[in-house]
Coordinates of all heavy atoms in Angstrom, one line a residue:
A4 N 19.9 133.3 -51.3 CA 19.3 134.5 -50.5 C 19.1 134.1 -49.2 O 19.4 135.0 -48.2 CB 18.2 134.8 -51.3
R5 N 18.8 132.9 -48.9 CA 18.6 132.5 -47.4 C 19.9 132.5 -46.7 O 19.9 133.0 -45.6 CB 18.0 131.1 -47.4 CG 16.5 131.2 -47.5 CD 15.9 129.8 -47.3 NE 16.3 129.1 -48.5 CZ 15.8 127.8 -48.7 NH1 15.1 127.2 -47.7 NH2 16.3 127.1 -49.7
I6 N 21.0 132.1 -47.3 CA 22.3 132.0 -46.6 C 22.7 133.5 -46.3 O 23.3 133.8 -45.2 CB 23.2 131.3 -47.3 CG1 23.0 129.8 -47.4 CG2 24.7 131.4 -46.8 CD1 23.8 129.0 -48.3
E7 N 22.4 134.4 -47.2 CA 22.8 135.7 -47.1 C 22.0 136.4 -45.9 O 22.6 137.1 -45.1 CB 22.4 136.6 -48.4 CG 23.3 137.8 -48.6 CD 23.0 138.4 -50.0 OE1 23.3 137.7 -50.9 OE2 22.5 139.6 -49.9
K8 N 20.8 136.0 -45.9 CA 20.0 136.6 -44.8 C 20.5 136.0 -43.4 O 20.5 136.6 -42.3 CB 18.5 136.2 -44.8 CG 17.7 136.9 -45.9 CD 16.4 136.4 -45.9 CE 15.6 137.1 -47.2 NZ 14.2 136.6 -47.3
R9 N 20.9 134.7 -43.4 CA 21.3 134.0 -42.1 C 22.6 134.6 -41.7 O 22.9 134.8 -40.5 CB 21.5 132.5 -42.4 CG 20.2 131.8 -42.5 CD 20.5 130.3 -42.8 NE 19.2 129.6 -43.1 CZ 19.0 128.7 -44.0 NH1 20.2 128.3 -44.9 NH2 18.0 128.1 -44.2
A10 N 23.5 134.9 -42.7 CA 24.8 135.5 -42.3 C 24.7 136.8 -41.5 O 25.6 137.2 -40.8 CB 25.5 135.7 -43.6
A11 N 23.6 137.6 -41.7 CA 23.4 138.7 -40.9 C 22.9 138.5 -39.6 O 22.7 139.4 -38.7 CB 22.5 139.7 -41.8
K12 N 22.5 137.3 -39.2 CA 21.8 137.0 -37.9 C 22.8 136.3 -37.0 O 23.6 135.5 -37.4 CB 20.6 136.0 -38.2 CG 19.6 136.6 -39.2 CD 18.8 137.9 -38.6 CE 17.8 138.4 -39.6 NZ 17.2 139.5 -39.2
R13 N 22.5 136.8 -35.7 CA 23.4 136.2 -34.6 C 22.4 135.4 -33.7 O 21.4 135.9 -33.3 CB 24.1 137.3 -33.9 CG 25.1 138.0 -34.8 CD 25.7 139.2 -34.1 NE 24.8 139.8 -33.0 CZ 25.2 140.4 -32.0 NH1 26.5 140.7 -31.9 NH2 24.5 140.8 -31.0
V14 N 22.9 134.2 -33.4 CA 22.1 133.3 -32.7 C 22.9 132.8 -31.4 O 24.0 132.5 -31.5 CB 21.7 132.0 -33.3 CG1 20.9 131.0 -32.6 CG2 20.9 132.4 -34.7
L15 N 22.3 132.9 -30.2 CA 22.8 132.3 -29.0 C 22.4 131.1 -28.6 O 21.0 131.0 -28.7 CB 22.7 133.4 -27.9 CG 23.3 133.1 -26.5 CD1 24.8 132.9 -26.7 CD2 22.9 134.3 -25.6
I16 N 23.1 130.0 -28.2 CA 22.5 128.7 -27.9 C 22.9 128.4 -26.4 O 24.1 128.6 -26.0 CB 23.3 127.7 -28.8 CG1 22.8 127.8 -30.3 CG2 22.7 126.2 -28.3 CD1 23.6 127.0 -31.2
G17 N 21.9 127.8 -25.7 CA 22.3 127.3 -24.4 C 22.0 125.8 -24.5 O 20.8 125.4 -24.8
A18 N 23.0 125.0 -24.2 CA 23.0 123.6 -24.3 C 24.0 122.9 -23.4 O 25.0 123.5 -23.1 CB 22.9 123.1 -25.7
S19 N 23.9 121.5 -23.3 CA 25.0 120.7 -22.7 C 26.1 120.8 -23.7 O 25.9 121.0 -24.8 CB 24.5 119.3 -22.4 OG 24.3 118.6 -23.7
P20 N 27.4 120.4 -23.2 CA 28.5 120.5 -24.1 C 28.3 119.7 -25.4 O 28.7 120.2 -26.6 CB 29.6 120.0 -23.3 CG 29.3 120.3 -21.9 CD 27.7 120.1 -21.9
A21 N 27.9 118.5 -25.3 CA 27.6 117.7 -26.7 C 26.6 118.3 -27.5 O 26.8 118.3 -28.7 CB 27.3 116.2 -26.2
R22 N 25.6 118.7 -26.9 CA 24.4 119.3 -27.8 C 24.9 120.5 -28.3 O 24.5 121.0 -29.4 CB 23.1 119.3 -26.9 CG 22.6 118.1 -26.7 CD 21.8 117.6 -27.9 NE 20.6 118.3 -28.1 CZ 20.0 118.4 -29.3 NH1 20.3 117.7 -30.3 NH2 18.9 119.2 -29.5
L23 N 25.6 121.3 -27.6 CA 26.0 122.7 -28.0 C 26.8 122.5 -29.3 O 26.5 123.1 -30.2 CB 26.8 123.4 -26.9 CG 27.4 124.7 -27.3 CD1 26.2 125.8 -27.7 CD2 28.2 125.3 -26.3
A24 N 27.8 121.6 -29.3 CA 28.6 121.4 -30.4 C 27.6 120.9 -31.7 O 27.9 121.4 -32.8 CB 29.6 120.2 -30.3
E25 N 26.8 120.1 -31.5 CA 25.8 119.6 -32.5 C 24.9 120.7 -33.0 O 24.9 120.9 -34.2 CB 24.9 118.5 -32.0 CG 23.9 118.0 -33.0 CD 22.9 117.1 -32.4 OE1 23.0 116.6 -31.2 OE2 21.9 116.7 -33.0
L26 N 24.4 121.5 -32.1 CA 23.4 122.6 -32.5 C 24.3 123.7 -33.3 O 23.8 124.2 -34.4 CB 22.8 123.1 -31.4 CG 21.7 122.1 -30.8 CD1 21.1 122.6 -29.5 CD2 20.6 121.8 -31.7
Q27 N 25.3 124.0 -32.7 CA 26.3 125.0 -33.3 C 26.6 124.6 -34.7 O 26.6 125.5 -35.7 CB 27.6 125.3 -32.5 CG 27.3 126.3 -31.4 CD 28.6 126.5 -30.6 OE1 29.4 125.5 -30.3 NE2 28.9 127.7 -30.2
G28 N 27.0 123.4 -34.9 CA 27.5 123.0 -36.1 C 26.3 123.0 -37.2 O 26.7 123.5 -38.4
G29 N 25.1 122.7 -36.9 CA 24.1 122.8 -37.8 C 23.8 124.2 -38.1 O 23.4 124.4 -39.3
L30 N 23.8 125.0 -37.2 CA 23.4 126.5 -37.5 C 24.6 127.1 -38.3 O 24.3 128.0 -39.2 CB 23.0 127.3 -36.3 CG 21.8 126.8 -35.6 CD1 21.5 127.5 -34.3 CD2 20.6 127.0 -36.7
V31 N 25.8 126.8 -37.9 CA 27.0 127.5 -38.7 C 27.0 127.0 -40.1 O 27.1 127.7 -41.0 CB 28.3 127.2 -38.0 CG1 29.5 127.5 -38.8 CG2 28.3 128.0 -36.5
A32 N 26.7 125.7 -40.4 CA 26.7 125.2 -41.6 C 25.5 125.8 -42.5 O 25.7 126.0 -43.7 CB 26.5 123.6 -41.6
A33 N 24.5 126.3 -41.9 CA 23.4 127.1 -42.6 C 23.6 128.4 -42.8 O 23.0 129.0 -43.6 CB 22.1 126.8 -41.7
G34 N 24.8 129.0 -42.2 CA 25.2 130.3 -42.4 C 25.1 131.3 -41.3 O 25.5 132.5 -41.4
Y35 N 24.4 130.9 -40.1 CA 24.3 131.8 -38.9 C 25.7 131.9 -38.3 O 26.5 131.1 -38.3 CB 23.3 131.2 -38.0 CG 21.9 131.2 -38.4 CD1 21.2 130.1 -38.9 CD2 21.1 132.3 -38.5 CE1 20.0 130.0 -39.4 CE2 19.8 132.4 -38.9 CZ 19.2 131.2 -39.3 OH 17.9 131.3 -39.7
A36 N 25.7 133.2 -37.7 CA 26.8 133.4 -36.8 C 26.2 133.1 -35.4 O 25.3 133.5 -35.0 CB 27.0 135.0 -36.7
V37 N 27.0 132.1 -34.7 CA 26.5 131.4 -33.6 C 27.5 131.5 -32.5 O 28.8 131.3 -32.6 CB 26.3 130.0 -33.9 CG1 25.7 129.3 -32.7 CG2 25.2 129.8 -35.1
T38 N 27.1 131.7 -31.3 CA 27.7 131.5 -30.1 C 27.0 130.8 -29.1 O 25.7 130.7 -29.1 CB 28.3 132.9 -29.5 OG1 29.3 132.7 -28.5 CG2 27.1 133.7 -29.0
G39 N 27.7 130.3 -28.0 CA 26.8 129.3 -27.1 C 27.5 129.2 -25.7 O 28.7 129.5 -25.6
G40 N 26.8 128.7 -24.8 CA 27.2 128.4 -23.6 C 26.6 127.2 -23.0 O 25.5 126.8 -23.4
T41 N 27.3 126.7 -22.0 CA 26.9 125.3 -21.3 C 26.3 125.6 -19.9 O 26.0 124.8 -19.1 CB 27.8 124.3 -21.4 OG1 29.1 124.8 -20.7 CG2 28.2 123.8 -22.9
D42 N 26.5 126.8 -19.5 CA 26.2 127.3 -18.1 C 25.4 128.5 -18.1 O 25.5 129.4 -19.0 CB 27.6 127.5 -17.4 CG 27.3 128.0 -16.0 OD1 27.2 127.3 -15.0 OD2 27.3 129.4 -15.9
V43 N 24.3 128.5 -17.4 CA 23.3 129.7 -17.2 C 24.1 131.0 -17.1 O 23.8 132.1 -17.7 CB 22.3 129.5 -16.2 CG1 21.4 130.7 -16.1 CG2 21.5 128.3 -16.6
G44 N 25.1 131.1 -16.2 CA 25.8 132.2 -16.0 C 26.6 132.7 -17.3 O 26.7 133.9 -17.5
V45 N 27.1 131.8 -17.9 CA 27.9 132.1 -19.1 C 27.0 132.6 -20.2 O 27.2 133.6 -20.8 CB 28.7 130.8 -19.7 CG1 29.2 131.1 -21.0 CG2 29.8 130.5 -18.6
L46 N 25.8 132.0 -20.3 CA 24.7 132.4 -21.2 C 24.3 133.8 -20.9 O 24.2 134.6 -21.8 CB 23.6 131.4 -21.1 CG 22.6 131.3 -22.3 CD1 23.4 130.9 -23.6 CD2 21.5 130.5 -22.0
A47 N 24.2 134.1 -19.8 CA 23.7 135.5 -19.3 C 24.8 136.5 -19.7 O 24.5 137.5 -20.2 CB 23.5 135.6 -17.8
Q48 N 26.1 136.2 -19.5 CA 27.2 137.1 -19.9 C 27.2 137.2 -21.4 O 27.4 138.3 -21.8 CB 28.5 136.4 -19.5 CG 28.8 136.5 -17.9 CD 30.0 136.0 -17.6 OE1 30.6 135.1 -18.2 NE2 30.5 136.4 -16.4
L49 N 27.0 136.2 -22.1 CA 27.0 136.3 -23.5 C 25.9 137.0 -24.1 O 25.9 137.8 -25.1 CB 26.9 134.9 -24.2 CG 28.3 133.9 -24.1 CD1 28.0 132.6 -24.5 CD2 29.5 134.6 -24.8
A50 N 24.7 137.0 -23.5 CA 23.4 137.7 -23.9 C 23.6 139.1 -23.7 O 22.9 139.9 -24.4 CB 22.3 137.1 -23.1
S51 N 24.4 139.4 -22.7 CA 24.5 141.0 -22.4 C 25.9 141.5 -22.8 O 26.2 142.6 -22.3 CB 24.1 141.2 -21.0 OG 25.0 140.6 -20.1
A52 N 26.7 140.9 -23.3 CA 28.1 141.2 -23.6 C 28.2 142.3 -24.6 O 29.1 143.0 -24.5 CB 28.9 140.0 -24.2
E53 N 27.2 142.4 -25.5 CA 27.4 143.5 -26.5 C 26.3 144.5 -26.4 O 25.2 144.2 -26.1 CB 27.5 142.9 -28.0 CG 28.8 141.9 -28.2 CD 28.7 141.2 -29.5 OE1 28.2 141.9 -30.5 OE2 29.3 140.2 -29.6
A54 N 26.5 145.6 -26.9 CA 25.4 146.7 -27.1 C 24.2 146.2 -27.8 O 23.1 146.4 -27.3 CB 25.9 148.0 -27.5
R55 N 24.4 145.5 -28.9 CA 23.4 145.0 -29.8 C 23.0 143.6 -29.4 O 23.9 142.7 -29.4 CB 23.8 145.1 -31.2 CG 22.7 144.5 -32.2 CD 23.1 144.6 -33.5 NE 22.4 143.7 -34.4 CZ 22.9 142.6 -34.9 NH1 24.2 142.4 -35.1 NH2 22.1 141.7 -35.7
P56 N 21.9 143.3 -28.9 CA 21.4 141.9 -28.5 C 21.5 141.0 -29.7 O 21.5 141.4 -30.9 CB 20.0 142.0 -27.9 CG 19.7 143.4 -28.1 CD 20.7 144.2 -28.8
V57 N 21.7 139.7 -29.4 CA 21.6 138.7 -30.5 C 20.3 138.7 -31.1 O 19.3 139.3 -30.6 CB 22.0 137.3 -29.9 CG1 23.4 137.2 -29.4 CG2 21.0 136.9 -28.9
D58 N 20.1 138.2 -32.3 CA 18.8 138.2 -33.1 C 17.9 137.1 -32.5 O 16.8 137.3 -32.6 CB 19.1 138.0 -34.6 CG 20.0 139.2 -35.1 OD1 19.4 140.3 -35.1 OD2 21.1 139.0 -35.4
A59 N 18.5 136.0 -32.0 CA 17.5 135.0 -31.5 C 18.4 134.0 -30.5 O 19.7 134.0 -30.6 CB 17.1 134.1 -32.7
A60 N 17.7 133.4 -29.7 CA 18.3 132.5 -28.8 C 17.6 131.0 -29.0 O 16.4 130.9 -29.3 CB 18.1 133.0 -27.3
L61 N 18.4 130.1 -28.8 CA 17.9 128.6 -29.0 C 18.4 128.0 -27.8 O 19.6 128.1 -27.3 CB 18.7 128.0 -30.2 CG 18.4 126.6 -30.6 CD1 17.0 126.3 -31.1 CD2 19.4 126.0 -31.4
V62 N 17.5 127.3 -27.1 CA 17.7 126.6 -25.8 C 17.4 125.2 -26.0 O 16.3 124.9 -26.4 CB 16.9 127.3 -24.6 CG1 17.2 126.6 -23.4 CG2 17.3 128.6 -24.4
D63 N 18.3 124.2 -25.6 CA 18.0 122.9 -25.8 C 17.2 122.4 -24.6 O 17.5 122.8 -23.4 CB 19.3 122.1 -25.7 CG 19.1 120.5 -26.0 OD1 18.3 120.2 -26.8 OD2 19.7 119.8 -25.1
A64 N 16.0 121.8 -24.8 CA 15.1 121.4 -23.8 C 15.7 120.5 -22.8 O 15.3 120.7 -21.6 CB 13.9 120.8 -24.4
A65 N 16.5 119.6 -23.1 CA 17.2 118.7 -22.3 C 18.1 119.5 -21.2 O 18.2 119.0 -20.0 CB 18.0 117.6 -23.0
W66 N 18.6 120.5 -21.7 CA 19.6 121.3 -20.9 C 18.9 122.0 -19.8 O 19.2 121.9 -18.5 CB 20.2 122.4 -21.7 CG 21.2 123.2 -21.1 CD1 22.4 122.9 -20.4 CD2 21.1 124.6 -20.9 NE1 23.0 124.0 -19.8 CE2 22.3 125.1 -20.3 CE3 20.2 125.7 -21.3 CZ2 22.6 126.4 -19.9 CZ3 20.5 127.0 -21.0 CH2 21.6 127.3 -20.3
I67 N 17.6 122.5 -20.1 CA 16.8 123.1 -19.1 C 16.3 122.1 -18.1 O 16.3 122.3 -16.9 CB 15.6 123.9 -19.7 CG1 16.1 125.1 -20.4 CG2 14.5 124.4 -18.5 CD1 15.1 125.9 -21.1
A68 N 16.0 120.9 -18.7 CA 15.4 119.8 -17.8 C 16.5 119.3 -16.8 O 16.1 118.7 -15.8 CB 14.9 118.6 -18.7
D69 N 17.7 119.5 -17.1 CA 18.8 119.1 -16.2 C 19.1 120.0 -15.0 O 20.2 120.1 -14.4 CB 20.1 118.9 -16.9 CG 20.1 117.7 -17.9 OD1 19.2 116.7 -17.5 OD2 20.9 117.6 -18.8
G70 N 18.0 120.7 -14.5 CA 18.2 121.6 -13.4 C 18.2 123.1 -13.6 O 18.2 123.9 -12.7
Q71 N 18.3 123.5 -15.0 CA 18.5 124.9 -15.2 C 17.0 125.5 -15.0 O 16.0 124.8 -15.3 CB 18.9 125.2 -16.6 CG 20.2 124.5 -17.0 CD 21.4 125.0 -16.0 OE1 21.4 126.1 -15.5 NE2 22.4 124.0 -16.0
S72 N 16.9 126.7 -14.6 CA 15.6 127.3 -14.4 C 15.0 127.8 -15.8 O 15.5 128.7 -16.4 CB 15.7 128.5 -13.4 OG 14.6 129.2 -13.4
A73 N 14.0 127.2 -16.2 CA 13.4 127.5 -17.5 C 12.9 129.0 -17.5 O 13.1 129.8 -18.5 CB 12.2 126.6 -17.8
S74 N 12.2 129.4 -16.4 CA 11.7 130.8 -16.3 C 12.8 131.8 -16.4 O 12.6 132.9 -17.0 CB 10.7 130.9 -15.1 OG 11.4 130.7 -14.0
W75 N 13.9 131.5 -15.7 CA 14.9 132.5 -15.5 C 15.6 132.6 -17.0 O 16.0 133.7 -17.4 CB 16.0 132.1 -14.6 CG 17.0 133.1 -14.3 CD1 17.0 134.0 -13.5 CD2 18.4 133.2 -15.0 NE1 18.1 134.8 -13.7 CE2 18.9 134.3 -14.6 CE3 18.9 132.4 -16.1 CZ2 20.1 134.7 -15.0 CZ3 20.2 133.0 -16.5 CH2 20.8 134.0 -16.1
V76 N 15.9 131.4 -17.6 CA 16.4 131.5 -19.0 C 15.5 132.4 -19.9 O 16.0 133.2 -20.7 CB 16.7 130.1 -19.5 CG1 17.1 130.2 -21.0 CG2 17.8 129.4 -18.7
E77 N 14.2 132.0 -19.9 CA 13.3 132.8 -20.7 C 13.2 134.4 -20.4 O 13.3 135.2 -21.2 CB 11.8 132.4 -20.6 CG 11.7 130.9 -21.2 CD 10.4 130.2 -20.9 OE1 9.6 130.9 -20.2 OE2 10.3 129.0 -21.2
S78 N 13.4 134.7 -19.1 CA 13.3 136.0 -18.6 C 14.5 136.8 -19.2 O 14.5 137.9 -19.4 CB 13.1 136.2 -17.2 OG 14.2 135.7 -16.5
L79 N 15.6 136.1 -19.2 CA 17.0 136.6 -19.6 C 16.8 137.2 -21.1 O 17.2 138.3 -21.2 CB 18.0 135.5 -19.6 CG 19.3 135.9 -20.3 CD1 20.0 136.9 -19.5 CD2 20.2 134.5 -20.4
F80 N 16.1 136.4 -21.9 CA 15.9 136.9 -23.3 C 14.8 137.9 -23.4 O 14.9 138.8 -24.2 CB 15.8 135.7 -24.2 CG 17.0 134.8 -24.2 CD1 17.0 133.5 -23.8 CD2 18.3 135.3 -24.6 CE1 18.2 132.8 -23.6 CE2 19.4 134.5 -24.5 CZ 19.3 133.3 -24.1
S81 N 13.7 137.6 -22.8 CA 12.7 138.6 -22.9 C 12.9 140.0 -22.4 O 12.5 141.0 -23.0 CB 11.3 138.1 -22.2 OG 11.5 138.0 -20.7
A82 N 13.9 140.1 -21.5 CA 14.2 141.4 -20.9 C 15.0 142.1 -21.9 O 15.0 143.5 -21.9 CB 15.1 141.2 -19.6
R83 N 15.6 141.6 -22.9 CA 16.5 142.1 -23.9 C 15.7 142.2 -25.3 O 16.2 142.4 -26.3 CB 17.8 141.5 -24.1 CG 18.6 141.7 -22.8 CD 20.1 141.3 -23.0 NE 20.8 141.8 -24.1 CZ 21.6 142.8 -24.0 NH1 21.7 143.4 -22.9 NH2 22.2 143.4 -25.1
N84 N 14.4 141.6 -25.2 CA 13.6 141.6 -26.5 C 14.2 140.8 -27.5 O 14.3 141.0 -28.6 CB 13.4 143.0 -27.0 CG 12.5 143.9 -26.1 OD1 11.6 143.3 -25.6 ND2 12.9 145.1 -25.9
V85 N 14.8 139.6 -27.0 CA 15.4 138.6 -27.9 C 14.4 137.5 -28.1 O 14.0 136.9 -27.0 CB 16.8 138.1 -27.4 CG1 17.2 136.9 -28.2 CG2 17.8 139.2 -27.2
P86 N 13.9 137.1 -29.3 CA 13.1 135.9 -29.4 C 13.8 134.6 -29.1 O 15.0 134.5 -29.4 CB 12.7 136.0 -30.9 CG 13.7 136.9 -31.7 CD 14.3 137.8 -30.6
C87 N 13.3 133.8 -28.5 CA 13.8 132.5 -27.9 C 12.9 131.4 -28.3 O 11.7 131.4 -28.2 CB 14.0 132.6 -26.4 SG 14.8 131.2 -25.7
V88 N 13.6 130.3 -28.6 CA 12.9 129.0 -28.9 C 13.6 127.9 -28.2 O 14.8 127.9 -28.0 CB 12.8 128.7 -30.4 CG1 14.1 128.5 -31.0 CG2 11.9 127.5 -30.7
T89 N 12.8 127.0 -27.6 CA 13.3 125.9 -27.0 C 13.1 124.6 -27.9 O 12.0 124.5 -28.4 CB 12.6 125.5 -25.7 OG1 12.7 126.7 -24.8 CG2 13.1 124.4 -24.9
I90 N 14.2 123.9 -28.2 CA 14.2 122.7 -29.2 C 14.3 121.5 -28.5 O 14.9 121.2 -27.6 CB 15.4 123.1 -30.1 CG1 15.3 122.2 -31.4 CG2 16.7 122.9 -29.5 CD1 14.0 122.4 -32.3
H91 N 13.5 120.6 -29.2 CA 13.6 119.1 -28.8 C 14.1 118.5 -30.1 O 13.4 118.7 -31.1 CB 12.2 118.4 -28.5 CG 11.7 119.1 -27.3 ND1 11.8 118.6 -26.0 CD2 10.8 120.2 -27.2 CE1 11.2 119.5 -25.1 NE2 10.5 120.4 -25.7
G92 N 15.1 117.8 -30.2 CA 15.4 117.1 -31.4 C 16.8 117.5 -32.0 O 17.6 118.1 -31.3
D93 N 17.0 117.2 -33.2 CA 18.3 117.3 -33.9 C 18.6 118.6 -34.4 O 17.8 119.6 -34.3 CB 18.4 116.3 -35.0 CG 17.4 116.4 -36.1 OD1 16.9 117.4 -36.2 OD2 17.3 115.5 -37.0
A94 N 19.7 118.8 -35.0 CA 20.2 120.2 -35.3 C 19.5 120.6 -36.6 O 19.3 121.8 -36.7 CB 21.7 120.0 -35.8
R95 N 19.0 119.7 -37.4 CA 18.2 120.1 -38.5 C 16.9 120.7 -38.1 O 16.4 121.8 -38.7 CB 17.8 118.9 -39.4 CG 17.2 119.4 -40.7 CD 16.8 118.1 -41.6 NE 15.9 117.1 -41.0 CZ 14.5 117.3 -41.1 NH1 14.1 118.3 -41.6 NH2 13.7 116.5 -40.5
R96 N 16.3 120.3 -37.0 CA 15.0 120.9 -36.4 C 15.3 122.3 -35.9 O 14.5 123.2 -36.0 CB 14.4 120.0 -35.4 CG 13.7 118.9 -35.9 CD 13.0 118.1 -35.0 NE 12.4 116.8 -35.5 CZ 11.9 115.9 -34.8 NH1 12.2 115.8 -33.6 NH2 11.3 114.8 -35.4
A97 N 16.5 122.3 -35.3 CA 16.9 123.6 -34.7 C 17.2 124.7 -35.8 O 16.6 125.8 -35.6 CB 18.3 123.4 -34.0
R98 N 17.6 124.4 -37.0 CA 17.8 125.2 -38.0 C 16.4 125.8 -38.6 O 16.1 126.8 -38.7 CB 18.5 124.7 -39.1 CG 18.9 125.8 -40.2 CD 18.9 125.3 -41.7 NE 18.3 124.2 -42.0 CZ 17.2 124.0 -42.7 NH1 16.3 125.1 -42.9 NH2 16.7 123.0 -43.0
I99 N 15.5 124.8 -38.7 CA 14.1 125.1 -39.2 C 13.5 126.0 -38.1 O 12.8 127.0 -38.5 CB 13.4 123.7 -39.3 CG1 14.0 123.0 -40.6 CG2 11.8 124.0 -39.6 CD1 13.4 121.5 -40.7
A100 N 13.6 125.8 -36.8 CA 12.9 126.6 -35.8 C 13.6 128.0 -35.9 O 12.8 129.0 -35.7 CB 13.1 126.0 -34.5
I101 N 14.8 128.1 -36.0 CA 15.5 129.5 -36.0 C 15.2 130.1 -37.3 O 14.9 131.4 -37.3 CB 17.0 129.4 -35.9 CG1 17.4 128.9 -34.4 CG2 17.6 130.7 -36.2 CD1 16.9 129.9 -33.4
D102 N 15.1 129.5 -38.5 CA 14.6 130.1 -39.7 C 13.3 130.7 -39.6 O 12.9 131.7 -40.0 CB 14.6 129.0 -40.9 CG 16.0 128.7 -41.4 OD1 17.0 129.5 -41.1 OD2 16.1 127.8 -42.3
R103 N 12.3 129.8 -39.0 CA 10.9 130.4 -38.8 C 10.9 131.5 -37.9 O 10.2 132.6 -38.0 CB 10.0 129.3 -38.3 CG 9.7 128.2 -39.3 CD 8.7 127.2 -38.7 NE 8.5 126.2 -39.7 CZ 8.3 124.9 -39.4 NH1 8.2 124.6 -38.2 NH2 8.0 124.0 -40.3
L104 N 11.5 131.5 -36.7 CA 11.7 132.5 -35.8 C 12.2 133.9 -36.3 O 11.7 134.9 -36.0 CB 12.5 132.1 -34.6 CG 12.5 133.0 -33.3 CD1 11.1 133.0 -32.7 CD2 13.5 132.5 -32.4
L105 N 13.1 133.8 -37.2 CA 13.8 134.9 -37.8 C 13.2 135.2 -39.2 O 13.7 136.1 -39.9 CB 15.3 134.8 -37.8 CG 15.9 134.7 -36.5 CD1 17.4 134.5 -36.6 CD2 15.7 136.0 -35.7
S106 N 12.2 134.5 -39.6 CA 11.6 134.6 -41.0 C 12.5 134.6 -42.2 O 12.6 135.4 -43.0 CB 10.7 136.1 -41.0 OG 9.8 136.1 -40.0
V107 N 13.4 133.6 -42.0 CA 14.4 133.3 -43.1 C 13.9 132.0 -43.8 O 14.3 131.0 -43.6 CB 15.7 133.1 -42.5 CG1 16.8 132.8 -43.6 CG2 16.2 134.3 -41.7
V108 N 12.9 132.2 -44.7 CA 12.3 131.1 -45.4 C 12.4 131.4 -46.9 O 12.4 132.5 -47.4 CB 11.0 130.8 -45.0 CG1 11.0 129.8 -43.9 CG2 10.2 131.8 -44.6

């Protein structure tokens, strides 16, 4: 039942290239439809590319710490009413955080 709920949810990830692959892999394996970007500009394009916003956004804390503007990234999602979580840690923690954010438990 959880995988079925996850399959209906779309998640957007912002992270460095290595972390993006790790986080995407973990969420895709859990059943989520996932897309992501390694650049704030790309992330903004992905966030507004479709008429229906993504269901949630996941941002890697280290990616923001590497010079990205945390407030700008957060405002990008809040402007579209997309819940966003910043993650520290491995892909398993990312899945747990997204499950909680989207009430897939």
Side-chain angles (χ1 to χ4, degrees):
R5 281 184 287 184
I6 293 173
E7 204 171 300
K8 287 180 184 178
R9 289 176 184 142
K12 304 292 185 182
R13 299 171 336 153
V14 179
L15 179 61
I16 301 172
S19 66
R22 287 286 290 162
L23 180 61
E25 176 188 353
L26 295 170
Q27 277 182 318
L30 292 177
V31 167
Y35 287 106
V37 179
T38 189
T41 59
D42 175 83
V43 173
V45 171
L46 197 65
Q48 288 176 342
L49 291 171
S51 60
E53 298 180 28
R55 178 181 157 237
V57 293
D58 296 294
L61 176 74
V62 178
D63 183 47
W66 181 64
I67 291 177
D69 285 342
Q71 307 300 332
S72 168
S74 61
W75 187 86
V76 171
E77 290 171 7
S78 70
L79 168 71
F80 297 114
S81 66
R83 294 190 56 96
N84 295 318
V85 173
C87 181
V88 64
T89 300
I90 189 71
H91 302 268
D93 63 15
R95 187 179 65 81
R96 287 186 182 161
R98 188 213 22 99
I99 292 168
I101 291 295
D102 281 351
R103 285 185 186 147
L104 189 65
L105 296 174
S106 301
V107 180
V108 273

